[in-house]
Amino acid sequence: MPLDSLVRELFTEICRIPLIDPHSHINPHQPASRSLDDILGYHYYTELAHSAGMDQKPLAADVEPRQRVHTILAYMDRFDNTVQYAWFLEIARTFLDFPGERFTAADADVLWDAAERRMSQPDWENEVLRRSNIEKVFLTNDFDDPLEGFDTNLYVPCLRTDDLVFHLDKPEVRQRLAKATGIEVGDAASLRRAIGKLFEHFTRKGAKACAISLPPDFTPRPSQDAFWMLAEHCHDFQLPFDLMIGVNRRVYRGGVYQGQDLFDQRTSLLQYAELFNAFPEVTFCISVLSSGQNQELVSHSWIFPNIVTSGHWWYSNIPAYIETDLRARLQAVPKTKQIGYYSDMYKLEFGLPKFNMYRRILARVLADDFVRPGILSETGAVELARCLLRENVERIFGV
Amino acid sequence: MPLDSLVRELFTEICRIPLIDPHSHINPHQPASRSLDDILGYHYYTELAHSAGMDQKPLAADVEPRQRVHTILAYMDRFDNTVQYAWFLEIARTFLDFPGERFTAADADVLWDAAERRMSQPDWENEVLRRSNIEKVFLTNDFDDPLEGFDTNLYVPCLRTDDLVFHLDKPEVRQRLAKATGIEVGDAASLRRAIGKLFEHFTRKGAKACAISLPPDFTPRPSQDAFWMLAEHCHDFQLPFDLMIGVNRRVYRGGVYQGQDLFDQRTSLLQYAELFNAFPEVTFCISVLSSGQNQELVSHSWIFPNIVTSGHWWYSNIPAYIETDLRARLQAVPKTKQIGYYSDMYKLEFGLPKFNMYRRILARVLADDFVRPGILSETGAVELARCLLRENVERIFGV
Amino acid sequence: MPLDSLVRELFTEICRIPLIDPHSHINPHQPASRSLDDILGYHYYTELAHSAGMDQKPLAADVEPRQRVHTILAYMDRFDNTVQYAWFLEIARTFLDFPGERFTAADADVLWDAAERRMSQPDWENEVLRRSNIEKVFLTNDFDDPLEGFDTNLYVPCLRTDDLVFHLDKPEVRQRLAKATGIEVGDAASLRRAIGKLFEHFTRKGAKACAISLPPDFTPRPSQDAFWMLAEHCHDFQLPFDLMIGVNRRVYRGGVYQGQDLFDQRTSLLQYAELFNAFPEVTFCISVLSSGQNQELVSHSWIFPNIVTSGHWWYSNIPAYIETDLRARLQAVPKTKQIGYYSDMYKLEFGLPKFNMYRRILARVLADDFVRPGILSETGAVELARCLLRENVERIFGV
């Protein structure tokens, strides 16, 4: 859809709202890219290039990064229709002074050199944050992360717990847990003490959320297992619990790194009913993988006080599904219970194009569903956007 | 979307079609609201206020109604983005002379007083019906409802059968059934006789439908159980059978009254294939809870002569899903097999904003998908609307 | 939506792309219709007329065809809202000089006579192909089809294998297989030899694909069964494997011929994960029946190199679902991995209205999602359309 003048005005105003990005995979010790290889090494590009015919040899560790970038760029005209391509184009145009509308393989050297030049500037990290209007970025920290050596006010720690719930039977995970907590886990009581230690460590270091991704067939039950204990600790430590529901790991076993996971639409939030009933004081920030399940999420957030809609995740993070899912949320979920968007990014440069994608759609939905029918003024629409993009994050996570 | 001039003209013409509302929860002895408490006591407002943070104390029976309204209104700015809020705004502007575009807590007294004044007028019920252009309203009657003391031509009885199918093991239900029919149910034969008595009573009193809501995992089988017998009696008494498919009861056990139910997307109309095959002469008017299942409904109505699409129910009754679901129905289901909309209301005042929501969407879909591409003239589009909103209800239910 | 000038221009340009129709049920010995009975005998019309109230007597073999056409036309005003009605209208206007915008029963004779006149022209088949801008049409051939007596360059053979996978226990199927291959199948080894013979025969005759339709609960496993062997032979003979996923046969047992099948939304592409992993060199062209599963298809095609999206099938082949599904594919699947559309037609006359339906939607999506936001020029958008409608078919199937 074209950005007409109303949509453009709303977009401009929405872009003025300083962002708090409530979920990312940023490494706080190396938050910005150092080269074009960091940009095009994002799994979206490696997996799309691979899906479109590239074998995995260019991705090997011993391949010269500049050569890898050449190869990926050479495959890009096979997926230049995708929104992920558009993200990269926006990065190149915004951050690398790229003047074109499309890439060709011939652009690889120019882009590489521009990236080298820009990314080696000493203030690059701050410039990216400033131009992206991002004030804080939530992280995804392993449970044994020391959380040291970075500004936890800027890069907000978040306790990621997949390992504890799904891999606690692995010796290396137990060893990491023992090392992090000083507790050898052997039974439920020792597991509970270890988890308590982790929550103490993380909250002392400024963590503002606990998070986990879950397979489609997962059904939490009241028990002495790690998942239920995490919910209990979220209650005790007053941490919101981010549930990222629906991912099957390693479905495509020959896929590139981080490009092997898919989903199964045969899943329901009903599987979580016992959890939601058992922890009325824990805020569950829920991401789903399919637009079909988004309707379940809308209905559950409308009914359960402790459920909040959270962003547009992965396979649902494309405009066609964002638009449908966003419209339904705005029409049926209290505005105070919606976390509009998070970047999920690994490198800071992706914050701008991803949030812009969301902001453009938000501007259009606000224009069409609220301003034009007379439900909200333009000012009111921007306030609603501020609620989704900023105020709810502040209040829900206490940042 | 804005209402452009074509959409506005279509909307105006569609509003002229006198409505027969084929499903509501109106109490015919008290059809209109008597105070603002009746309006804001609708579960949509109590559940959204609760979801947005209100505890349940204001909902207790001993709370002064005016105070309850104050409290709910005070929470409304947390969900003033929702379509349910827009319904209330339209009620206030249409029926209570409210001049504003938004509510504040300061409006509570003015609204309360306006409601007191208007709703105590002796002709209030008729005025609401007249201004809503509603001629008849279908009810939802317990099986032991005497169906007396009201005009069954205006308020059309409908035999609701959830208790018979899902709660017949409860002593109080059996006692009610014994009292209503004079039959102590002990086996399939006595159950059949009792159900026969109920159908005789209801049809004698002008009932035009049998109805039931069903959980997502329900699969009817040929048997001597109550559900199958109901279908047999629908056949014998030539009553359409309204199936409202997909609701799980009491999912959020701490929720407000009528605000505890949700759905599970893992359900299919295929579960009903035996039923549809076994009763080719019974018209099944089917409502579904999810937009995903709407595609199943579209396909089933397209294939089975005895399946009719029925309204936009509950969690699918918001514009984003109505629009998608309606477009698909209009493109693939014979127009004579679509019941456009029902109010599901408990108080008459909700007929106007709910039908208006549907009529606005219908006007836009007719404009975009039929009139502008040259498929229908404006007159033809209004005739199609009349088919959905009026003629099909008359023919299918025989009213 | 109206066709504005940009959409009209794109549509016009897209119509200039010569089509290769990669899936149909054309009988190459009788590809075009010989009478209006061939047109209205298409199951869409018989099933919609039956669904709307027509009994099956007019469909009996001994009914005079002209009378059958009269009867079906008489029921058409009950489903003149459907897109299938619009297909017939476009056929009548394009091929039968019908001047009207709607049909009445009174048009039956005029239409019948016009069809008689036009369809008896000696060059009718070629004229239909020419006016539809179709260069090649893929067939659906029984495994024992001799594939003789027609131009396999124009009508491209495709080995349809439902019988081998689902009906091999039937004596008549075994006899047909024995007759076609000279092999009496008794064990896995003989089955493998027989399938090998079929692939040899089909590829020698110019077959370019193997195809099958599959029920929603089907889950292929590595084994000695026919399905897995077919995948092995697709690998050995380098034939793409068309999987048409999700159909339940004979759901409505009293339905008209070919009007008895439906789907069950409770299905997932995850069921095929082993297959996709086991045959990385086989291209799987996948069609799904529901818009919900389309999101799974988008994600799987984005991740698996050997999965290609294929057309808009049956119950998803209506504009509301095509538009949603197409937008998602264009935003997230490499453009080289999308087979835009196929006709699924039984008679050539349906190619034009079906492809036009798709081309109109494609033009609008390209305008709104690509040209107006500045992502593609008009020329670029038409090139993208050419990729979907022509080049991918040529490259993937080797035609």
Side-chain angles (χ1 to χ4, degrees):
Chain A
M1 279 288 182
L3 297 180
D4 62 33
S5 64
L6 171 60
V7 176
R8 252 197 313 267
E9 281 168 35
L10 288 170
F11 176 69
T12 303
E13 287 303 312
I14 291 170
C15 286
R16 295 217 169 100
I17 301 165
L19 297 170
I20 298 174
D21 181 355
H23 175 66
S24 84
H25 295 268
I26 289 293
N27 171 2
H29 307 289
Q30 196 61 255
S33 297
R34 290 162 300 174
S35 77
L36 205 59
D37 193 37
D38 280 347
I39 299 286
L40 290 181
Y42 197 8
H43 68 83
Y44 288 103
Y45 304 105
T46 55
E47 74 200 14
L48 282 165
H50 176 58
S51 173
M54 186 186 80
D55 67 26
Q56 298 205 37
K57 283 181 208 141
L59 306 179
D62 61 353
V63 172
E64 209 260 312
R66 190 175 185 127
Q67 183 51 45
R68 174 165 35 248
V69 161
H70 265 270
T71 308
I72 293 173
L73 265 171
Y75 277 92
M76 263 196 175
D77 64 354
R78 301 187 186 190
F79 58 90
D80 58 13
N81 56 297
T82 62
V83 70
Q84 293 86 3
Y85 178 91
W87 299 343
F88 177 50
L89 185 63
E90 192 162 0
I91 287 173
R93 292 171 56 93
T94 306
F95 292 120
L96 305 179
D97 305 316
F98 181 73
E101 301 289 342
R102 316 252 94 201
F103 300 111
T104 68
D107 296 315
D109 285 325
V110 172
L111 285 167
W112 178 271
D113 293 341
E116 288 277 282
R117 207 163 48 243
R118 304 300 306 275
M119 293 171 180
S120 61
Q121 291 170 1
D123 61 342
W124 182 240
E125 172 187 350
N126 289 327
E127 179 166 340
V128 174
L129 286 168
R130 187 183 56 73
R131 293 180 66 171
S132 308
N133 203 9
I134 295 177
E135 284 191 359
K136 291 174 193 288
V137 180
F138 279 50
L139 306 177
T140 293
N141 303 96
D142 284 338
F143 67 77
D144 54 345
D145 190 319
L147 305 175
E148 281 174 4
F150 64 91
D151 176 359
T152 58
N153 189 44
L154 169 57
Y155 296 114
V156 181
C158 169
L159 172 59
R160 180 70 170 233
T161 57
D162 299 47
D163 283 346
L164 296 172
V165 172
F166 298 109
H167 303 296
L168 200 55
D169 55 334
K170 294 183 182 163
E172 65 273 24
V173 174
R174 288 181 176 258
Q175 284 161 19
R176 285 170 49 209
L177 184 56
K179 195 171 163 204
T181 63
I183 295 168
E184 298 277 348
V185 168
D187 57 8
S190 53
L191 176 61
R192 181 178 300 276
R193 284 198 310 277
I195 289 175
K197 284 267 191 189
L198 298 178
F199 272 73
E200 281 166 25
H201 168 62
F202 267 75
T203 53
R204 209 181 318 116
K205 291 289 189 179
K208 296 298 180 187
C210 178
I212 191 166
S213 73
L214 299 156
D217 60 355
F218 188 74
T219 302
R221 306 269 186 214
S223 70
Q224 297 292 319
D225 71 11
F227 182 84
W228 205 260
M229 282 183 199
L230 289 170
E232 290 168 340
H233 283 82
C234 285
H235 174 269
D236 295 346
F237 287 80
Q238 297 181 44
L239 274 195
F241 201 171
D242 292 339
L243 306 184
M244 312 190 79
I245 292 176
V247 62
N248 282 113
R249 302 292 179 184
R250 304 208 64 229
V251 175
Y252 171 34
R253 295 190 298 269
V256 305
Y257 177 63
Q258 294 179 326
Q260 306 183 346
D261 308 336
L262 281 158
F263 69 92
D264 180 338
Q265 63 169 343
R266 296 167 305 174
T267 181
S268 176
L269 290 182
L270 190 74
Q271 298 163 213
Y272 293 81
E274 283 312 304
L275 180 75
F276 301 146
N277 276 293
F279 298 97
E281 290 167 26
V282 174
T283 299
F284 294 96
C285 306
I286 296 185
S287 300
V288 294
L289 266 185
S290 75
S291 193
Q293 191 161 31
N294 181 69
Q295 191 177 0
E296 286 196 346
L297 178 55
V298 165
S299 306
H300 278 70
S301 310
W302 152 358
I303 292 298
F304 275 99
N306 53 339
I307 296 182
V308 163
T309 64
S310 182
H312 299 270
W313 189 35
W314 206 341
Y315 295 112
S316 285
N317 186 30
I318 63 171
Y321 296 125
I322 294 173
E323 182 178 319
T324 305
D325 296 350
L326 173 61
R327 289 187 71 203
R329 293 180 193 180
L330 286 176
Q331 290 167 0
V333 178
K335 69 185 180 191
T336 53
K337 301 183 65 195
Q338 303 187 41
I339 294 171
Y341 196 71
Y342 52 74
S343 73
D344 219 4
M345 65 187 168
Y346 286 76
K347 290 294 173 187
L348 290 183
E349 289 82 359
F350 284 95
L352 184 137
K354 287 182 149 193
F355 272 100
N356 271 354
M357 173 182 71
Y358 175 75
R359 288 184 288 219
R360 282 186 200 104
I361 299 164
L362 179 60
R364 192 167 63 241
V365 170
L366 289 173
D368 287 346
D369 287 6
F370 290 87
V371 179
R372 290 196 232 268
I375 294 173
L376 286 178
S377 64
E378 281 190 55
T379 309
V382 176
E383 279 167 19
L384 179 50
R386 190 184 317 278
C387 185
L388 268 59
L389 280 167
R390 169 96 200 183
E391 293 167 359
N392 291 343
V393 178
E394 290 180 313
R395 192 187 68 255
I396 289 166
F397 295 105
V399 290
Chain B
M1 280 287 183
L3 297 180
D4 62 33
S5 64
L6 171 59
V7 176
R8 251 197 315 267
E9 281 168 35
L10 287 170
F11 177 69
T12 303
E13 286 305 311
I14 291 170
C15 286
R16 294 216 171 100
I17 301 165
L19 298 170
I20 298 173
D21 181 356
H23 175 66
S24 84
H25 294 267
I26 288 293
N27 170 3
H29 307 291
Q30 195 61 256
S33 296
R34 289 160 302 173
S35 76
L36 205 58
D37 193 36
D38 280 346
I39 298 286
L40 290 181
Y42 197 9
H43 68 83
Y44 287 103
Y45 303 106
T46 56
E47 75 200 12
L48 282 166
H50 177 58
S51 174
M54 186 186 81
D55 66 27
Q56 298 205 37
K57 282 182 208 140
L59 305 179
D62 60 353
V63 173
E64 210 260 312
R66 191 176 184 128
Q67 183 50 46
R68 172 165 37 248
V69 162
H70 264 271
T71 307
I72 292 173
L73 266 171
Y75 275 92
M76 263 196 173
D77 64 354
R78 302 186 186 190
F79 58 90
D80 57 12
N81 55 296
T82 61
V83 70
Q84 293 85 5
Y85 178 91
W87 299 343
F88 178 50
L89 185 64
E90 192 162 359
I91 287 174
R93 291 171 57 92
T94 306
F95 292 121
L96 306 179
D97 306 315
F98 181 72
E101 301 290 342
R102 316 253 92 201
F103 300 111
T104 69
D107 295 316
D109 285 325
V110 173
L111 286 166
W112 179 272
D113 293 341
E116 288 277 281
R117 208 162 50 240
R118 304 299 306 276
M119 294 169 180
S120 60
Q121 291 171 1
D123 61 342
W124 182 242
E125 172 188 349
N126 289 328
E127 179 166 339
V128 173
L129 286 168
R130 186 183 56 74
R131 293 180 66 171
S132 307
N133 203 9
I134 295 177
E135 284 191 358
K136 291 175 192 287
V137 180
F138 279 51
L139 307 177
T140 293
N141 303 96
D142 285 337
F143 66 77
D144 53 346
D145 190 317
L147 304 176
E148 283 175 2
F150 63 92
D151 175 0
T152 58
N153 188 45
L154 169 57
Y155 295 114
V156 182
C158 168
L159 173 58
R160 181 70 171 235
T161 56
D162 299 45
D163 283 346
L164 296 173
V165 173
F166 298 109
H167 303 296
L168 200 55
D169 54 333
K170 293 182 182 165
E172 65 272 25
V173 173
R174 288 180 176 258
Q175 283 161 21
R176 285 171 48 209
L177 185 56
K179 195 169 163 204
T181 63
I183 296 167
E184 297 278 348
V185 168
D187 57 7
S190 52
L191 176 60
R192 181 178 301 275
R193 285 200 309 278
I195 289 175
K197 284 268 191 188
L198 297 178
F199 272 73
E200 281 167 27
H201 167 62
F202 267 75
T203 52
R204 207 180 320 114
K205 290 289 190 179
K208 297 298 181 187
C210 177
I212 189 167
S213 74
L214 300 155
D217 61 356
F218 188 75
T219 302
R221 306 267 186 216
S223 70
Q224 297 291 318
D225 70 12
F227 182 84
W228 205 260
M229 283 185 199
L230 289 170
E232 291 167 340
H233 283 82
C234 284
H235 174 269
D236 295 345
F237 286 80
Q238 297 181 45
L239 276 194
F241 201 172
D242 292 340
L243 306 184
M244 312 190 78
I245 293 176
V247 60
N248 282 113
R249 302 293 180 183
R250 302 209 65 230
V251 175
Y252 171 34
R253 296 190 298 269
V256 305
Y257 177 63
Q258 294 179 327
Q260 307 183 345
D261 308 336
L262 281 157
F263 70 91
D264 181 338
Q265 64 169 343
R266 296 167 304 175
T267 183
S268 176
L269 289 183
L270 190 73
Q271 299 162 212
Y272 293 81
E274 284 311 304
L275 180 75
F276 301 145
N277 277 293
F279 297 97
E281 290 167 26
V282 174
T283 299
F284 295 96
C285 306
I286 296 186
S287 300
V288 295
L289 267 184
S290 75
S291 194
Q293 192 162 30
N294 183 68
Q295 192 177 359
E296 286 196 346
L297 178 56
V298 165
S299 307
H300 278 69
S301 309
W302 152 357
I303 292 299
F304 275 99
N306 52 340
I307 297 183
V308 163
T309 64
S310 182
H312 298 270
W313 188 34
W314 205 338
Y315 294 112
S316 285
N317 186 29
I318 64 171
Y321 296 124
I322 293 172
E323 183 178 321
T324 305
D325 296 350
L326 174 61
R327 290 187 70 202
R329 293 179 192 181
L330 285 177
Q331 291 167 0
V333 178
K335 68 185 181 190
T336 52
K337 300 182 66 196
Q338 304 186 40
I339 295 172
Y341 196 72
Y342 51 74
S343 73
D344 217 6
M345 64 187 169
Y346 287 76
K347 290 292 174 188
L348 289 183
E349 289 81 0
F350 283 94
L352 183 138
K354 286 182 151 192
F355 271 101
N356 272 354
M357 173 181 71
Y358 175 76
R359 289 185 286 218
R360 283 187 199 103
I361 300 165
L362 178 60
R364 192 167 63 243
V365 170
L366 290 172
D368 288 345
D369 287 6
F370 290 86
V371 179
R372 291 197 232 269
I375 294 173
L376 286 178
S377 65
E378 280 190 56
T379 309
V382 176
E383 279 167 20
L384 180 49
R386 190 185 316 278
C387 186
L388 269 57
L389 281 168
R390 170 95 199 184
E391 293 166 0
N392 291 342
V393 178
E394 290 179 313
R395 192 188 68 256
I396 290 167
F397 296 104
V399 289
Chain C
M1 279 289 184
L3 296 181
D4 62 34
S5 63
L6 172 60
V7 177
R8 250 195 316 265
E9 281 168 35
L10 287 170
F11 176 70
T12 303
E13 286 305 312
I14 291 169
C15 286
R16 295 217 171 100
I17 301 165
L19 298 170
I20 299 174
D21 181 355
H23 175 67
S24 84
H25 294 268
I26 289 293
N27 171 3
H29 306 289
Q30 195 61 256
S33 297
R34 289 162 300 174
S35 76
L36 205 59
D37 192 36
D38 279 347
I39 299 286
L40 290 181
Y42 198 8
H43 67 83
Y44 288 103
Y45 303 106
T46 56
E47 74 201 11
L48 283 166
H50 176 57
S51 174
M54 185 185 81
D55 66 28
Q56 298 204 39
K57 284 181 207 141
L59 306 179
D62 60 353
V63 172
E64 209 262 313
R66 192 178 184 125
Q67 183 52 44
R68 173 165 38 248
V69 161
H70 264 271
T71 307
I72 293 174
L73 266 170
Y75 276 92
M76 262 197 174
D77 64 353
R78 301 187 186 190
F79 59 90
D80 57 12
N81 56 296
T82 63
V83 71
Q84 293 86 3
Y85 178 92
W87 299 343
F88 177 50
L89 185 63
E90 193 162 359
I91 287 173
R93 291 171 57 92
T94 306
F95 292 121
L96 305 179
D97 306 316
F98 181 72
E101 301 289 342
R102 319 252 91 201
F103 299 111
T104 68
D107 296 316
D109 286 325
V110 173
L111 286 167
W112 179 272
D113 293 340
E116 289 277 282
R117 207 165 47 241
R118 306 298 308 276
M119 293 171 182
S120 61
Q121 291 170 1
D123 61 343
W124 181 242
E125 171 187 349
N126 289 327
E127 179 166 340
V128 174
L129 286 169
R130 186 183 56 74
R131 294 180 66 170
S132 308
N133 204 9
I134 296 177
E135 284 191 358
K136 291 174 193 287
V137 179
F138 280 50
L139 308 177
T140 293
N141 302 96
D142 285 339
F143 67 79
D144 54 345
D145 190 319
L147 305 175
E148 282 173 4
F150 62 92
D151 175 359
T152 60
N153 189 45
L154 169 58
Y155 295 114
V156 183
C158 169
L159 172 59
R160 181 71 171 233
T161 57
D162 300 45
D163 282 347
L164 295 172
V165 173
F166 297 110
H167 303 296
L168 200 54
D169 55 332
K170 293 181 181 165
E172 65 272 26
V173 173
R174 289 183 175 256
Q175 284 161 20
R176 285 171 48 210
L177 185 56
K179 193 169 165 205
T181 64
I183 295 167
E184 298 276 349
V185 168
D187 57 8
S190 54
L191 176 60
R192 180 179 302 276
R193 284 199 309 277
I195 289 175
K197 284 268 191 188
L198 297 178
F199 272 74
E200 281 167 27
H201 167 62
F202 266 75
T203 52
R204 207 177 322 113
K205 292 287 189 181
K208 297 299 181 187
C210 177
I212 190 168
S213 73
L214 299 156
D217 61 356
F218 188 74
T219 302
R221 307 268 186 215
S223 70
Q224 297 293 317
D225 70 12
F227 182 82
W228 205 260
M229 282 184 199
L230 289 169
E232 291 168 340
H233 282 83
C234 283
H235 173 269
D236 296 346
F237 286 80
Q238 298 181 45
L239 274 195
F241 201 172
D242 293 339
L243 307 183
M244 313 191 77
I245 293 175
V247 61
N248 282 113
R249 302 292 179 185
R250 303 209 65 230
V251 174
Y252 171 34
R253 296 190 297 270
V256 305
Y257 177 63
Q258 293 178 329
Q260 307 183 344
D261 307 337
L262 281 157
F263 70 92
D264 180 338
Q265 63 170 343
R266 296 167 304 175
T267 181
S268 176
L269 289 182
L270 190 73
Q271 298 163 212
Y272 293 80
E274 283 312 304
L275 179 76
F276 301 145
N277 277 292
F279 297 96
E281 290 167 25
V282 174
T283 299
F284 295 97
C285 306
I286 296 185
S287 299
V288 295
L289 267 185
S290 75
S291 194
Q293 192 161 30
N294 182 68
Q295 192 177 0
E296 286 195 347
L297 178 56
V298 165
S299 307
H300 278 70
S301 309
W302 152 356
I303 292 299
F304 276 98
N306 52 339
I307 297 182
V308 164
T309 64
S310 182
H312 299 271
W313 189 35
W314 206 340
Y315 295 113
S316 284
N317 187 29
I318 63 172
Y321 296 125
I322 293 172
E323 182 177 321
T324 305
D325 296 350
L326 173 61
R327 291 186 68 203
R329 293 180 192 181
L330 286 176
Q331 291 167 0
V333 178
K335 69 186 180 191
T336 53
K337 300 182 66 195
Q338 303 185 42
I339 295 171
Y341 196 72
Y342 51 75
S343 73
D344 217 6
M345 64 187 169
Y346 286 75
K347 291 293 174 187
L348 289 184
E349 289 81 359
F350 283 95
L352 183 138
K354 286 181 151 193
F355 271 101
N356 271 354
M357 172 181 71
Y358 175 76
R359 288 185 286 218
R360 284 187 199 103
I361 299 166
L362 179 61
R364 192 165 64 240
V365 170
L366 290 172
D368 288 346
D369 287 5
F370 290 87
V371 179
R372 291 197 232 269
I375 294 172
L376 287 178
S377 65
E378 280 190 56
T379 309
V382 176
E383 279 167 19
L384 179 50
R386 191 184 316 278
C387 186
L388 268 58
L389 281 168
R390 170 95 198 183
E391 293 167 359
N392 291 341
V393 178
E394 290 179 313
R395 194 188 66 255
I396 289 167
F397 295 105
V399 289

